[in-house]
Amino acid sequence: MNAVEIEEAVSRLAEQPFDAASFCFAFLEAFGNKETTLKRLRSGDSNQSDLLGGVLQRNNIHLKVCAEGEVTATLTALRQSPATTRQKAKFILATDGKSFEAENLADGETLACTHPEFADHFGFFLPLAGITTVKQIRENAFDIKATGRLNRLYIELLKDNPEWSTEKRREDLNHFMARLIFGFFAEDTAIFHGERLFTGTIEQMSARDSSDTHQVLSEIFRAMNTKLAERETAQIKSWANGFPYVNGGLFSGGVDVPRFSKIARSYLLHVGNLDWTKINPDIFGSMIQAVADDAERGALGMHYTSVPNILKVLNPLFLDPLRTSLAEAGENARKLLNLRQRLARIRVFDPACGSGNFLVIAYKEMRAIEAEINRLRGETDRPSDIPLTNFRGIELRNFSAEIARLALVIAEYQCDVHYRGQKLALLEFLPLEATNWITCGNALRLDWLSICPPTGKAVRLRADDLFETPLDQAEIDFKNEGGETYICGNPPYLGSTWQSKEQKSEINSIFEGRTKTWGSLDYVSGWFIKAADYGTHTQAAAAFVSTNSICQGQQVPILWPLIFQTGHAIHFAHTSFKWANLASHNAGVTVAIVGISNNPGKLRRLYSFNESGGAVLREAENINAYLVSGPNVVVAPTDEVLGNMTAMDNGNKAVDGGHLLLEAHEVAELGLSPEQNRTFVKRFAGSFEAINGAIRYCLWITDELKESAMQIPSIAVRLKTVEEMRLKSSKKLTRDTAARPHAFQQVRQVGNEVSIVVPQVSSERRDYLPAVLMKPGTIISNLALAVYDAPLWNMALVASRIHLVWIATVCGKMKTDFRYSNTLGWNTFPVPPLTEQNKADLTRCAEDILLAREAHFPATIADLYDPETMPPNLRAAHERNDETLERIYLGRRFKNDTERLETLFSLYTQMTARQGAPKKAGGRKPKSYDA
Ligand SMILES: C[S@@+](CC[C@H](N)C(=O)[O-])C[C@H]1O[C@@H](n2cnc3c(N)ncnc32)[C@H](O)[C@@H]1O
């Protein structure tokens, strides 16, 4: 269940008469518990409560309905109950049907309200449904509630008016919804005079059977589009005359309204009766935009950027420096005035603005700074100098663009009320400005310089219906020319394999002529390069929330040199962190925030989270493309090993149609003598076999033994089939090797080596890369990498924490797995020169790891490296390995991964400078590939 569904279920429960016997179970049901779970709780099977009448769901909640007046005492009993602690309850809750009390045991937050009001606090309990929320979101239960109601209305209207579901009419429906939202907001916030003017008029004037609801609404909209002086001529009905002239684009154009069924009318009245003063435009807009999107509706805006994450972008980008200037100005009237003038000229531009949440937050924060200036200057009544139209956006989806405009208008009004009082706010609010400053279009196709022009004041274009789409041009130039421009947002991320044909062609046209390898870039990289290009024309800085994949692995050498070439540097960054929003059981998206500027200043700011989740700020002379404090290195794949480790090679590629590879029963079916078996059959392992302990075999026949192998009929048949299969191949290389069917197509080993096998991909959940030492004579599959016949200390390096950190950074990830590359990750791995003693110590560490694994025989590597169940002796062996290796680097343990990476990049820079630029990887030749 998502938050909206939970809100609806909780509201339904609160509306029902209180039933003491069933309340606890009904409450759990509203938070998504299935009937089978509830049945077990009801029967007592899974009820862990030690209080009479209590219900305790392990790891979740301990709740009890009590006698009237006993709520506080019952909550105390729940808190003190040993079962609450033993069963790890997250919440306790007591109610008597009149009053309601609860506590979140994790953070001590408490809730006390009347029983019917508990539905308004459903956000308090969202962790019960696996929804981890930040405080700001939880406190905006209204936005979730309103979204749920509007969603029901939207679906009902579509049902009643199928002809409105075509693309063009959908835009009309979306526009209609925006008008409704404005009406609800305006009637509750005194923008309209008279109590419930909007909802009340609809209720009174439209028939109960809903037959004329659309006509009543249409007349109200007509009034809002007609100046008072023109109302008589326009023959506006007298009952609609109480509505002010609003227009502002929102009410210009047609007044066509969809037809309402009785149900739709009652939904409309229901949603109008909510308290719209509680609307929070930054959150509401993000949620409501999903109502109009068939694909998104299920999630109802649960994936939007949360306010704390927006502030991670905006604060370092420009709000923190503004606040510093405010503090430095003190009470100096002139400095304060200068700062106010500077604020009035700042442009904020979000080229993937959705419902405008970045713009709204930026606006609200700037208004707060301006209000403080006005307070210090004794001018609290002063109208704001910050023009709303300086907050520009581009958005692909029509409804989102429309909601963005509305959200900004609402934010402006709320700020005016907050800082200047309602009377002054109302004086200037209506009519709305009929200008469009949010462009509906494709940001990667549009010219940002014309959407967000750095110079010029003239109004370029005015349309009759400013909400008409598609609009590919902003209609007004900026007020207060000559200011700074800050580009921000959370553009879409899409890995290269997920991009549509159109999206690929957009990326192609942006990167064409700059790089041939644009094909591996994420879609978001289009926004970075466009921001960098924009910055070459005017004073601007940009920062986006982004997938962290553009700062890892193969995308780094493609994208970042191009950005740096435009004269931009990374002036601040937030290293990778997990995405947190309202989505239930948050998907594992890892993001980073990267700020680029062509005027980056001397010190760059690098934010990260420490192990306890606190934000840490470090100042750095430079931040490189891997978001590490250090010089601008770009690690490129190379065939030469940087240190004195043994080279890592690929495994062997059979290209055999499966006839050289054997399961255990197929070996038996060959009917070989023990001697023949020893000669021609070897163990065969790739990543899967190494990690899961699976056993497979292969025919391994050298050229010298080919003839004797062919004497064995069961082998000869297999080789013949390999030959036929290769001959039929469309690949020349494969056809060329048909004459040598006894051999793998690509051979990387002799066959009797001891190999250290490294999987090509490894789950990011593991704390270490699972390197596996294979018995002599195991043939390694091309689905793994291997170091053949290497001193064992090489394995200590692969298995270390510092190596994992390097791999995660320079090789990047595939979905949520580490992706290992020998040329990019092993050959480039910087290791200080190792003394004989160092090598002996590391060898001992690797032996200890192997012994620790052995102690758990027959557990597989997959079992042993599950972070939840990793055996302590194995963890301790890895700890000793890390301690030994890190002392070689630094003389002590590293404090954290940031320090590890900084040391590695600094060493990499020194070593590559000493050894000369590493040779590009061209692929090591297999031993008998063309023998
Ligand atoms: C991750 S959302 C962020 C929006 C908003 N800031 C939020 O947090 O909800 C990305 C937005 O970019 C829009 N978008 C996707 N491709 C676009 C394009 N090529 N041009 C403009 N907008 C685009 C999507 O419709 C979506 O609203």
Side-chain angles (χ1 to χ4, degrees):
M1 276 170 105
N2 66 35
V4 172
E5 290 162 337
I6 290 169
E7 187 281 322
E8 288 181 348
V10 173
S11 291
R12 272 198 303 276
L13 175 62
E15 282 160 15
Q16 285 164 19
F18 178 68
D19 174 19
S22 65
F23 177 78
C24 292
F25 304 105
F27 182 86
L28 290 172
E29 190 181 3
F31 281 89
N33 281 284
K34 297 215 169 69
E35 186 45 40
T36 42
T37 313
L38 296 173
K39 213 166 156 189
R40 293 191 62 224
L41 272 173
R42 268 194 218 99
S43 70
D45 282 359
S46 60
N47 183 357
Q48 307 288 343
S49 179
D50 50 4
L51 299 180
L52 192 65
V55 176
L56 199 174
Q57 188 180 34
R58 187 173 162 69
N59 291 328
N60 244 5
I61 186 167
H62 197 177
L63 66 171
K64 187 175 166 187
V65 172
C66 56
E68 205 171 318
E70 297 284 313
V71 170
T72 305
T74 307
L75 199 75
T76 307
L78 287 163
R79 195 181 299 112
Q80 289 170 351
S81 130
T84 297
T85 320
R86 205 171 46 241
Q87 300 297 333
K88 300 185 181 147
K90 292 184 198 129
F91 289 90
I92 48 174
L93 182 169
T95 180
D96 57 3
K98 296 263 176 336
S99 50
F100 183 103
E101 290 187 25
E103 184 175 331
N104 179 337
L105 296 171
D107 58 15
E109 212 178 321
T110 53
L111 169 66
C113 59
T114 66
H115 182 87
E117 275 170 2
F118 82 84
D120 292 338
H121 301 280
F122 76 95
F124 183 85
F125 297 104
L126 282 179
L128 285 179
I131 299 174
T132 45
T133 54
V134 279
K135 204 161 178 273
Q136 288 89 329
I137 299 172
R138 247 188 307 144
E139 285 171 356
N140 290 295
F142 171 82
D143 303 293
I144 295 174
K145 197 181 241 188
T147 303
R149 305 289 191 279
L150 285 169
N151 184 43
R152 272 199 255 167
L153 174 61
Y154 193 91
I155 292 172
E156 203 57 34
L157 288 176
L158 273 182
K159 227 179 351 170
D160 300 340
N161 303 272
E163 71 283 7
W164 285 63
S165 58
T166 60
E167 204 176 317
K168 173 68 194 116
R169 299 276 17 221
R170 256 319 169 81
E171 284 175 13
D172 296 338
L173 186 59
N174 297 344
H175 190 52
F176 166 71
M177 293 300 280
R179 287 176 173 178
L180 282 187
I181 293 165
F182 181 85
F184 296 141
F185 174 71
E187 70 176 343
D188 284 354
T189 48
I191 293 170
F192 292 165
H193 297 298
E195 212 170 301
R196 290 182 74 239
L197 181 70
F198 188 59
T199 312
T201 305
I202 302 167
E203 192 168 16
Q204 273 174 22
M205 299 314 299
S206 67
R208 277 170 174 267
D209 68 1
S210 78
S211 54
D212 60 355
T213 311
H214 61 294
Q215 289 160 350
V216 170
L217 274 162
S218 184
E219 186 62 9
I220 294 174
F221 292 163
R222 210 160 69 84
M224 289 200 248
N225 190 28
T226 309
K227 292 191 178 134
L228 298 188
E230 295 161 14
R231 295 241 168 134
E232 218 180 299
T233 327
Q235 295 182 321
I236 298 291
K237 298 238 168 34
S238 60
W239 52 263
N241 247 331
F243 288 91
Y245 171 64
V246 180
N247 193 324
L250 186 56
F251 289 95
S252 63
V255 284
D256 206 8
V257 170
R259 285 182 157 270
F260 279 64
S261 63
K262 266 171 88 172
I263 297 179
R265 180 177 177 273
S266 91
Y267 282 162
L268 176 82
L269 299 178
H270 200 138
V271 73
N273 286 332
L274 295 176
D275 177 4
W276 283 79
T277 54
K278 290 183 184 159
I279 188 175
N280 185 357
D282 35 280
I283 289 172
F284 175 74
S286 306
M287 301 200 70
I288 188 67
Q289 63 178 348
V291 164
D293 189 317
D294 295 342
E296 279 277 306
R297 198 172 302 124
L300 280 182
M302 301 304 169
H303 304 299
Y304 70 89
T305 322
S306 66
V307 178
N309 283 344
I310 293 174
L311 287 172
K312 283 194 195 108
V313 175
L314 299 181
N315 281 341
L317 181 63
F318 70 104
L319 291 174
D320 281 344
L322 288 177
R323 292 186 194 112
T324 307
S325 299
L326 176 65
E328 282 166 3
E331 293 190 1
N332 182 318
R334 174 131 300 278
K335 284 188 179 168
L336 289 168
L337 183 66
N338 285 342
L339 182 58
R340 191 167 71 198
Q341 283 169 354
R342 185 179 159 203
L343 282 172
R345 292 209 306 265
I346 285 177
R347 296 118 184 251
V348 184
F349 173 42
D350 179 348
C353 71
S355 56
N357 50 357
F358 279 73
L359 299 175
V360 167
I361 299 290
Y363 178 78
K364 285 182 17 178
E365 294 294 324
M366 282 173 63
R367 285 290 304 262
I369 296 171
E370 185 190 44
E372 183 60 9
I373 294 173
N374 289 346
R375 191 188 67 77
L376 289 166
R377 284 178 54 90
E379 298 171 324
T380 44
D381 281 356
R382 208 173 182 284
S384 173
D385 287 341
I386 301 173
L388 204 57
T389 45
N390 275 11
F391 295 76
R392 297 268 159 124
I394 305 179
E395 168 54 44
L396 196 59
R397 290 182 295 174
N398 147 276
F399 188 47
S400 302
E402 187 142 2
I403 293 294
R405 285 186 283 263
L406 189 54
L408 279 163
V409 167
I410 291 176
E412 183 184 41
Y413 177 74
Q414 287 182 334
C415 285
D416 279 343
V417 172
H418 187 66
Y419 296 119
R420 304 178 58 222
Q422 195 173 61
K423 204 166 143 213
L424 290 176
L426 282 172
L427 270 182
E428 285 146 32
F429 187 64
L430 292 180
L432 300 178
E433 259 202 69
T435 44
N436 173 41
W437 66 105
I438 304 289
T439 303
C440 183
N442 187 327
L444 296 192
R445 296 225 176 258
L446 290 168
D447 173 14
W448 292 10
L449 284 166
S450 67
I451 300 284
C452 192
T455 54
K457 274 183 153 182
V459 173
R460 213 189 296 271
L461 183 146
R462 267 176 187 273
D464 280 345
D465 181 353
L466 295 160
F467 282 78
E468 200 176 271
T469 51
L471 275 176
D472 61 359
Q473 188 187 346
E475 286 152 9
I476 51 165
D477 271 348
F478 286 102
K479 292 194 180 151
N480 312 331
E481 185 185 353
E484 308 128 68
T485 302
Y486 296 104
I487 305 174
C488 58
N490 181 4
Y493 339 132
L494 268 180
S496 56
T497 45
W498 304 105
Q499 292 160 21
S500 67
K501 237 168 109 190
E502 291 75 35
Q503 288 166 330
K504 275 214 175 293
S505 99
E506 290 154 20
I507 292 289
N508 180 13
S509 56
I510 294 172
F511 284 93
E512 202 170 25
R514 303 188 205 223
T515 171
K516 288 195 175 106
T517 44
W518 58 267
S520 336
L521 290 173
D522 191 283
Y523 194 45
V524 74
S525 54
W527 273 260
F528 276 94
I529 199 80
K530 283 200 73 137
D533 285 346
Y534 183 92
T536 60
H537 292 92
T538 183
Q539 194 190 340
F544 295 119
V545 185
S546 164
T547 163
N548 65 350
S549 70
I550 62 160
C551 294
Q552 291 175 345
Q554 57 172 350
Q555 294 193 53
V556 172
I558 305 170
L559 176 65
W560 288 97
L562 298 175
I563 291 179
F564 295 150
Q565 272 163 29
T566 63
H568 283 75
I570 297 178
H571 69 308
F572 82 89
H574 203 303
T575 57
S576 303
F577 60 96
K578 288 262 181 222
W579 192 244
N581 58 25
L582 262 186
S584 174
H585 303 289
N586 281 329
V589 188
T590 307
V591 298
I593 290 168
V594 190
I596 57 170
S597 167
N598 52 12
N599 182 19
K602 277 217 170 83
L603 282 181
R604 321 283 158 85
R605 282 155 300 153
L606 188 56
Y607 299 82
S608 54
F609 286 121
N610 59 22
E611 261 134 48
S612 45
V616 182
L617 166 63
R618 295 183 60 234
E619 292 194 328
E621 281 177 18
N622 189 56
I623 299 173
N624 70 24
Y626 298 95
L627 307 187
V628 174
S629 157
N632 272 345
V633 284
V634 164
V635 181
T638 167
D639 282 336
E640 284 174 6
V641 185
L642 191 59
N644 53 3
M645 302 98 76
T646 306
M648 185 181 290
D649 210 341
N650 294 310
N652 307 273
K653 192 169 180 185
V655 194
D656 64 332
H659 304 291
L660 293 176
L661 307 186
L662 306 161
E663 300 296 334
H665 71 92
E666 291 173 310
V667 177
E669 283 159 19
L670 288 175
L672 305 180
S673 69
E675 179 56 29
Q676 288 170 329
N677 210 326
R678 264 195 303 279
T679 312
F680 300 118
V681 179
K682 289 201 184 287
R683 283 275 289 261
F684 179 74
S687 303
F688 178 83
E689 290 79 11
I691 291 180
N692 297 293
I695 298 181
R696 291 179 79 197
Y697 299 88
C698 67
L699 289 171
W700 190 256
I701 303 166
T702 58
D703 289 350
E704 302 80 64
L705 293 174
K706 178 188 165 193
E707 290 311 320
S708 38
M710 286 298 279
Q711 304 303 315
I712 305 169
S714 57
I715 293 183
V717 170
R718 281 188 168 260
L719 301 193
K720 186 76 195 144
T721 330
V722 173
E723 184 184 346
E724 286 165 8
M725 168 262 150
R726 287 187 183 169
L727 279 173
K728 280 190 209 141
S729 170
S730 59
K731 292 188 185 139
K732 179 175 180 310
L733 176 64
T734 307
R735 288 196 303 277
D736 289 350
T737 52
R740 306 182 62 252
H742 61 284
F744 278 36
Q745 188 179 82
Q746 292 182 13
V747 174
R748 307 276 178 177
Q749 62 183 117
V750 173
N752 53 4
E753 301 86 346
V754 174
S755 322
I756 301 165
V757 171
V758 185
Q760 283 172 342
V761 279
S762 174
S763 162
E764 70 159 358
R765 288 183 62 241
R766 296 191 183 117
D767 295 329
Y768 300 95
L769 290 169
V772 183
L773 190 71
M774 285 291 164
K775 288 201 177 103
T778 303
I779 303 303
I780 309 305
S781 131
N782 65 319
L783 299 179
L785 299 155
V787 191
Y788 299 109
D789 268 346
L792 194 57
W793 55 261
N794 283 271
M795 178 166 165
L797 300 186
V798 182
S800 66
R801 169 84 202 162
I802 193 168
H803 189 56
L804 178 79
V805 171
W806 180 252
I807 293 298
T809 306
V810 304
C811 294
K813 289 196 182 153
M814 190 189 265
K815 293 192 189 143
T816 53
D817 292 339
F818 297 115
R819 183 211 308 249
Y820 199 101
S821 153
N822 54 339
T823 52
L824 189 55
W826 175 253
N827 293 355
T828 62
F829 183 48
V831 182
L834 298 176
T835 63
E836 288 312 309
Q837 184 59 47
N838 293 152
K839 290 178 186 169
D841 292 343
L842 290 171
T843 303
R844 170 71 56 83
C845 290
E847 284 167 357
D848 284 352
I849 291 173
L850 292 169
L851 284 171
R853 290 179 187 172
E854 199 60 31
H856 299 278
F857 180 83
T860 63
I861 293 291
D863 302 332
L864 293 172
Y865 283 83
D866 181 334
E868 312 254 305
T869 54
M870 188 169 175
N873 68 328
L874 181 57
R875 208 173 261 291
H878 274 282
E879 277 290 316
R880 282 195 300 279
N881 185 42
D882 286 340
E883 166 104 33
T884 307
L885 182 57
E886 294 186 3
R887 281 185 180 282
I888 295 172
Y889 277 92
L890 202 63
R892 62 165 170 81
R893 285 302 296 264
F894 288 102
K895 288 195 205 109
N896 47 40
D897 288 346
T898 309
E899 199 179 37
R900 286 186 181 93
L901 278 173
E902 283 173 15
T903 306
L904 287 170
F905 275 103
S906 150
L907 190 57
Y908 178 83
T909 314
Q910 288 166 30
M911 290 175 80
T912 45
R914 260 203 312 271
Q915 295 188 6
K919 280 213 182 97
K920 277 195 175 164
R924 293 166 69 85
K925 277 223 159 156
K927 290 194 173 67
S928 68
Y929 165 91
D930 49 3

